[in-house]
Amino acid sequence: MVVVTGQSKVSGNPDDAMSSSDAEDDFQEPATPTATQAGQALPLLPQQFPEVVPLNVGGMYFTTRLSTLRRYEDTMLAAMFSGRHYIPTDAEGRYFIDRDGTYFGDILNFLRSGDLPPRDRVRSVYKEAQYYSIGPLLDNLEDLQPLKGEKVRQAFLGLMPYYKDHLERIIEIAKLRAMQRKARFAKLKVCVFKEEMPITPYECPHFNSLRFERSESETKLFEHHCEVDVSFGPWEAVADVYDLLHCIVTDLSDRGITVDHQCIGVCDKHLINHYYCKRPIYEFKITWW
């Protein structure tokens, strides 16, 4: 009977013997392929695109010319289909872009013939144009409503100190109160005032002249904080209190927050002599569900 062991028979010839270093080499892991070897396995060649390109954008199918996708050089689409980047394809061979394709048709229409979307899609197409970095389309859309009006509105809000911070404070206070009371809604008081100086009814017609005659020390006598949760103002612009209220409600609504408001009076704090604050105070009711 012949018994075979796991060890090799060592011959008497020293040259035939396996050194310890040779044994270690037998048990080493395969070496990492070199850059040359990797390049031979996966050649990094420029990707070639047909003249007519089938597209799959988030599951929606489109077909366009390659020249349309490359219309403007400094865009993401031109870079994607330049051949320098690999674009995967779906099972049908369409080039796949992992993006919602709802408004991609509007993107193609602009690249093809300069067509712009209808007003109700301007905001959404603008976001897609930002993603694809299509500067000419962005410039055109910014001159259309509602984006053009939004630029004017933002210019007005730029005069408002801490406007976004105050919006966040409204949301946080309303959320906290609703959670504490386990209620559907929460109420809070908001002061919105355009003029920094307090006025009295009979001072109104002469307000602009009187405000500049007051000394700095007199002005400080009028400084106070109304007993409200959040206070907006003052500002210097044609837009009035109702315009700012519209901005507040609009921006809260855009964040999915339902808000109602009504004026519940004015701040009646007595300041000095016959001067009272008289800033309007509004009650905001925010409904959470």
Side-chain angles (χ1 to χ4, degrees):
M1 177 183 295
V2 178
V3 179
V4 180
T5 64
Q7 297 179 346
S8 299
K9 181 178 180 181
V10 180
S11 66
N13 189 345
D15 294 335
D16 295 335
M18 181 183 295
S19 66
S20 60
S21 60
D22 292 337
E24 291 176 358
D25 290 342
D26 282 352
F27 290 93
Q28 288 179 355
E29 294 182 358
T32 303
T34 63
T36 304
Q37 292 172 334
Q40 292 174 352
L42 295 172
L44 299 178
L45 299 176
Q47 190 171 13
Q48 301 296 321
F49 297 101
E51 183 178 356
V52 178
V53 182
L55 298 170
N56 177 346
V57 184
M60 299 183 68
Y61 304 144
F62 302 89
T63 304
T64 189
R65 292 176 63 93
L66 181 61
S67 59
T68 299
L69 298 172
R70 297 175 176 176
R71 176 79 63 190
Y72 299 102
E73 294 182 358
D74 298 331
T75 67
M76 180 185 291
L77 288 174
M80 291 173 65
F81 290 91
S82 64
R84 301 190 304 269
H85 307 282
Y86 174 73
I87 309 297
T89 57
D90 63 12
E92 303 298 326
R94 304 181 186 91
Y95 294 97
F96 181 72
I97 300 177
D98 193 9
R99 182 77 176 174
D100 187 350
T102 303
Y103 302 101
F104 191 76
D106 294 295
I107 298 293
L108 286 181
N109 287 337
F110 176 80
L111 295 176
R112 287 165 176 157
S113 54
D115 292 344
L116 298 175
R119 176 171 177 169
D120 61 334
R121 295 209 298 269
V122 166
R123 290 183 185 273
S124 299
V125 175
Y126 187 82
K127 292 181 180 179
E128 294 304 298
Q130 286 180 313
Y131 176 79
Y132 293 111
S133 302
I134 306 176
L137 178 53
L138 292 171
D139 293 339
N140 279 273
L141 293 176
E142 287 174 356
D143 286 333
L144 298 178
Q145 289 285 43
L147 294 182
K148 191 170 185 177
E150 181 62 18
K151 291 177 67 175
V152 177
R153 190 178 81 97
Q154 290 299 328
F156 161 58
L157 293 178
L159 302 174
M160 199 65 47
Y162 310 111
Y163 175 76
K164 293 183 178 180
D165 293 338
H166 291 339
L167 285 183
E168 294 298 329
R169 181 168 174 77
I170 288 175
I171 295 172
E172 289 301 317
I173 292 175
K175 181 177 68 174
L176 180 61
R177 289 181 180 173
M179 293 179 66
Q180 289 175 339
R181 297 177 57 245
K182 309 298 187 294
R184 288 182 59 228
F185 61 86
K187 294 181 180 180
L188 61 160
K189 293 181 179 179
V190 177
C191 178
V192 181
F193 65 100
K194 180 177 180 180
E195 305 291 355
E196 187 171 9
M197 296 294 186
I199 60 175
T200 57
Y202 55 84
E203 189 183 359
C204 289
H206 311 288
F207 178 73
N208 289 332
S209 62
L210 289 176
R211 68 179 295 187
F212 294 109
E213 293 176 1
R214 294 171 177 158
S215 66
E216 183 177 352
S217 60
E218 290 174 330
T219 299
K220 291 182 179 180
L221 293 174
F222 297 115
E223 293 179 355
H224 79 289
H225 298 285
C226 302
E227 296 181 358
V228 295
D229 297 298
V230 183
S231 186
F232 291 85
W235 68 90
E236 293 184 4
V238 174
D240 59 19
V241 169
Y242 298 102
D243 296 319
L244 182 58
L245 284 169
H246 180 271
C247 291
I248 296 171
V249 173
T250 298
D251 289 335
L252 291 175
S253 298
D254 287 344
R255 298 181 60 172
I257 297 175
T258 303
V259 55
D260 297 309
H261 68 281
Q262 61 177 345
C263 184
I264 58 175
V266 296
C267 176
D268 57 358
K269 183 174 181 179
H270 177 251
L271 301 179
I272 184 174
N273 297 331
H274 53 272
Y275 291 102
Y276 292 80
C277 175
K278 301 301 180 184
R279 293 171 180 171
I281 297 177
Y282 295 84
E283 181 183 75
F284 273 50
K285 177 182 178 181
I286 293 181
T287 303
W288 292 105
W289 83 85

